Amino acid sequence: MVAATGPAAAAPQDPSAVAALAADKADALVASRPAILHAGANETFQQQKVIQSSGLNYVPYKRTYKGLPVEGGDFVVVTDAAGQTKATSVAQSAPVGELSTVAKIADSAAAATAKAQLKTVTSTEATKLVVLAEEGKAATLAWQTTVAGTNAEGPSRLTVDVDATSGKVLRTTERVIDVTGTGTGWINGSVSIDTTQSGSSYLLQDPSHTTIRCQNASGNTTFSGPDNVWGNGSGTDRETGCVDAFYVAQKQYAMLSSWLGRNGQNGSGGAWPIRVGLNDQNAYYDGTQVQIGKNTAGQWIASADVVGHELGHGIDDTTPGGISRSGTQEFVADTIGAATEWFINNPNDAPDYQVGEEVNLVGSGPIRYMYNPSLAGDSNCYSSSTPGSEVHAAAGPGNHWFYLMAEGTNPTNGQPTSTRCSGSGAITGLGIQNAMKIMYNAMLMKTSTSSYLKYRTWTLTAAKNLFPNSCTEFNTVKAAWDAVSVPAQSGDPTCTGGGTTPPPTTTPPPSGSCTGTNATDVTIPDAGSAISSSIAISNCARAASATSTIAVNIVHTYRGDLRVDLVAPDGTVYNLKATSSSDSADNVNTTYTKNLSSEQANGTWQLRVQDVYSQDTGYINTWTLTV
């Protein structure tokens, strides 16, 4: 990530002229082949459509090597209205180098290998030669095939990259991503929707944006009727489910235009058909459609945050770099779903930062809690294991970050408080509209090698560019990332213009502080005696807080085996986690809040852990105490 500075010239005001200027200036930069592009003599670059947002222009590029597409060779040039380069974002970290473009195995053999990755196959898309240039790995000639069908978990649309020399599967990318007429939805109640008249009949299809439509998943037929009155209010009725979904899609379209300046979910004035009738406790987007399933009570799960989330995957897919990777895709979609719910502000589904609270998917309430992901068993805090976690569980730190950026640690609008994983001090939120604007503009810098670490850099860059005369927004974004333990990166920008820089948000050393961290690993014996890790608090001459926090990161292959206690300096034991024979998930990565006001803060505190069952092992990775 690089930023360029210099005097700004007078900029044309017509958006098309601004976009043309941005395109020309970006092409001139690319033609000079700056080192940041890692460009070789055999590479060419293809400019994509300029995307405009909040006075900035995002110019995406794709790369070819000897005429073959380079998967991982994409980049984005960001300019202001005058065409001045503000930043670049590049997927590659090293040149492709010299590579043969002659395949040693046939495309048909590669396609057969791709089909073998699914349980059943219903269709196979074209097989093509590409250069796979994943970050940190040597570039490889590969056959790329997309196959549709089912895997062990359900519907699948899978892109498979097969080594064109050895026939080995190099990478797989799953494309199925989970979760004015009048109508009555079971969630949103009586609503107004814009429908299409066709002769004497009406369709659940937007008259201005015809790709926004709602269909019965049995036959993929758009719902129609003679009277422009839709649904009966029953959650088990498919047309009623479509009223909810269609209403959300149209409202999200308005949010994208009003808040972000985006032209529809796909960026070109449209979206994808929404189909109600999936026989599963799920919803998904696969690049061609959104499928809406049902809860365990048979009700269609077309709430604002669920439909907004699935369409959010499509927005992610149609911004530079495609679907976000490395455990970030679900939190990205959750932020869009939350923004959609807040924009709609329907009293029947009051805006909040819970995911799926209205649909009650399996009868146990919300699917995820953005302000405290641990309430659903997900981690509040980022660690090196987050990118490899199950994608929905991996959303925890990102959702927590977004909440802290939007609402802060102690909101004044009725939303719940939220604790930090690391560091100290309150965070004041920017409001969801500004938070979503920063998130979206970071997505416009996205490349095919997205990650938590890169989203930190992109969002900081977006905040700096969007609010050039203030550091308040930048500092809030930074404080929120620090608070969920996403570490600083060498590419992070700094902010010196306007506002004041808040005190550092990193954890201070234990000496002379009311907070401390112990990051020394301590092995937990299998079905053995309790072990402990200590933190000494000194020069904190007061009682401990009634809202003291204990951020615990324990690596373990069956967390139900573990009892976790906090032991105060006077020996008093505070239980943080009990054992559970039914909790088979990995790891304990949670921030606990305890009333420790009866204790003096100074002294040596212990985190005590015991594994009470056999066959699973682990260790205390790190823990932070704030008293």
Side-chain angles (χ1 to χ4, degrees), residues 270-293:
W272 308 270
I274 302 172
R275 291 163 179 158
V276 173
L278 177 67
N279 188 28
D280 196 3
Q281 277 74 58
N282 195 13
Y284 69 80
Y285 161 87
D286 70 358
T288 65
Q289 62 179 333
V290 170
Q291 284 272 355
I292 301 295

Side-chain angles (χ1 to χ4, degrees), residues 196-203 224-227 230:
T196 298
Q197 185 172 3
S198 177
S200 60
S201 185
Y202 297 87
L203 299 172
S224 62
D227 55 9
W230 309 91

Side-chain angles (χ1 to χ4, degrees), residues 132-196:
L132 185 61
E134 293 189 278
E135 192 169 26
K137 298 180 181 179
T140 309
L141 185 68
W143 288 109
Q144 185 175 88
T145 307
T146 298
V147 289
T150 62
N151 58 23
E153 298 179 351
S156 176
R157 183 167 172 259
L158 191 71
T159 297
V160 184
D161 295 296
V162 175
D163 192 313
T165 299
S166 68
K168 177 184 177 182
V169 175
L170 298 172
R171 184 179 73 173
T172 61
T173 304
E174 181 57 73
R175 304 293 178 181
V176 171
I177 309 294
D178 303 322
V179 255
T180 309
T182 59
T184 303
W186 78 277
I187 295 172
N188 292 298
S190 180
V191 295
S192 295
I193 48 182
D194 293 329
T195 58
T196 298

Side-chain angles (χ1 to χ4, degrees), residues 256-437:
L256 294 171
S257 176
S258 174
W259 285 9
L260 307 176
R262 183 172 174 85
N263 185 19
Q265 284 88 346
N266 65 5
S268 301
W272 308 270
I274 302 172
R275 291 163 179 158
V276 173
L278 177 67
N279 188 28
D280 196 3
Q281 277 74 58
N282 195 13
Y284 69 80
Y285 161 87
D286 70 358
T288 65
Q289 62 179 333
V290 170
Q291 284 272 355
I292 301 295
K294 55 190 177 182
N295 63 18
T296 50
Q299 299 162 311
W300 305 109
I301 59 173
S303 63
D305 47 13
V306 171
V307 175
H309 171 104
E310 298 308 333
L311 289 170
H313 282 308
I315 295 167
D316 190 21
D317 199 13
T318 51
T319 47
I323 291 287
S324 295
R325 296 177 178 269
S326 298
T328 61
Q329 59 265 53
E330 294 300 325
F331 103 74
V332 169
D334 277 349
T335 67
I336 298 171
T340 301
E341 185 174 279
W342 277 84
F343 180 85
I344 294 174
N345 196 22
N346 186 311
N348 293 303
D349 183 6
D352 53 33
Y353 292 88
Q354 299 174 3
V355 181
E357 75 283 354
E358 295 294 332
V359 304
N360 196 20
L361 186 64
V362 294
S364 57
I367 304 165
R368 289 186 289 281
Y369 299 81
M370 299 179 77
Y371 56 89
N372 185 358
S374 66
L375 292 176
D378 301 328
S379 176
N380 288 9
C381 318
Y382 178 84
S383 71
S384 59
S385 65
T386 300
S389 302
E390 191 276 328
V391 292
H392 297 89
N399 282 341
H400 191 192
W401 162 79
F402 186 80
Y403 184 83
L404 291 172
M405 175 174 61
E407 299 293 337
T409 50
N410 300 287
T412 58
N413 60 351
Q415 295 302 309
T417 59
S418 184
T419 59
R420 306 175 62 118
C421 301
S422 59
S424 60
I427 297 172
T428 301
L430 303 174
I432 193 166
Q433 184 171 346
N434 279 337
M436 191 66 242
K437 182 182 292 186

